[in-house]
Amino acid sequence: MVGISALGFSSFISNMEETYIDSLDPEKLLQCPYDKNHQIRACRFPYHLIKCRKNHPDVANKLATCPFNARHQVPRAEISHHISSCDDKSCIEQDVVNQTRNLGQETLAESTWQCPPCDEDWDKDLWEQTSTPFVWGTANYCGKNSPASNIVMEHKSNLASGMRVPKSLPYVLPWKNNGNAQ
């Protein structure tokens, strides 16, 4: 693969065309462009190319990757000829043509969506809330002027029997003592 003559290049291109036609078969064996002794299944070929490219940097420097199909590794001197005749180029060009046609034909319809009416007034709700802040562990859950303030609220624990709420905040762990040596 390192020194491809004009005759060698044409056989290389015909081999590549066969590869393209048969590349739909995942079990088809393909020849590695970096090492002729490597026969790789088509489904593993992209992964092998990456690995083999790293293992053969001298050959990799003499090959160029096709911009239309990364499986196509072509000698650098022949890349312009390959780009002009690559079968995958027509697929990509067709996609570009189709996209430009669709952009001209598509007109975005104006949205008919309307915001539903809102019955919420968060500012009003804020003023209606009790003025006493929530404090963990206190039994006074209701404001003094609240209708529920005359109801006796008993403290209910959701903990399993035998467990209790800690009486203080967690202590500082020895490794989090803010740099103070002990």
Side-chain angles (χ1 to χ4, degrees):
M1 241 11 244
V2 177
I4 296 179
S5 64
L7 181 60
F9 180 71
S10 62
S11 66
F12 176 75
I13 292 296
S14 70
N15 185 22
M16 188 180 301
E17 289 170 354
E18 287 176 19
T19 299
Y20 178 76
I21 292 167
D22 294 334
S23 67
L24 299 176
D25 178 16
E27 299 302 317
K28 169 81 174 160
L29 290 178
L30 304 176
Q31 183 178 2
C32 173
Y34 300 106
D35 187 344
K36 290 190 177 214
N37 297 320
H38 293 175
Q39 295 292 317
I40 313 301
R41 290 186 343 219
C43 61
R44 298 294 307 160
F45 197 66
Y47 306 104
H48 177 82
L49 284 177
I50 293 169
K51 182 180 175 186
C52 217
R53 182 179 184 87
K54 290 177 184 175
N55 292 338
H56 300 281
D58 52 330
V59 178
N61 289 335
K62 296 176 182 174
L63 296 177
T65 303
C66 171
F68 306 113
N69 187 338
R71 293 178 177 208
H72 298 171
Q73 302 293 314
V74 182
R76 289 195 184 276
E78 305 294 334
I79 190 67
S80 60
H81 178 265
H82 173 79
I83 288 173
S84 64
S85 63
C86 182
D87 290 333
D88 292 326
K89 177 182 178 182
S90 62
C91 296
I92 292 177
E93 286 176 343
Q94 188 60 40
D95 288 344
V96 170
V97 169
N98 289 340
Q99 286 178 354
T100 55
R101 282 184 191 159
N102 291 341
L103 287 177
Q105 294 173 355
E106 288 181 12
T107 56
L108 297 176
E110 289 187 32
S111 175
T112 58
W113 183 84
Q114 293 181 350
C115 182
C118 181
D119 298 334
E120 296 178 349
D121 185 358
W122 290 8
D123 294 328
K124 180 181 169 189
D125 291 346
L126 183 64
W127 286 106
E128 290 177 355
Q129 287 180 351
T130 60
S131 61
T132 58
F134 173 79
V135 179
W136 177 259
T138 61
N140 186 13
Y141 294 110
C142 304
K144 293 181 177 156
N145 297 332
S146 171
S149 63
N150 56 4
I151 300 173
V152 176
M153 304 292 273
E154 68 181 66
H155 184 69
K156 182 178 178 184
S157 174
N158 292 329
L159 295 173
S161 64
M163 296 189 76
R164 65 173 178 79
V165 177
K167 295 188 186 292
S168 66
L169 294 175
Y171 61 91
V172 176
L173 299 173
W175 59 85
K176 293 187 176 184
N177 59 4
N178 296 330
N180 299 333
Q182 290 184 352

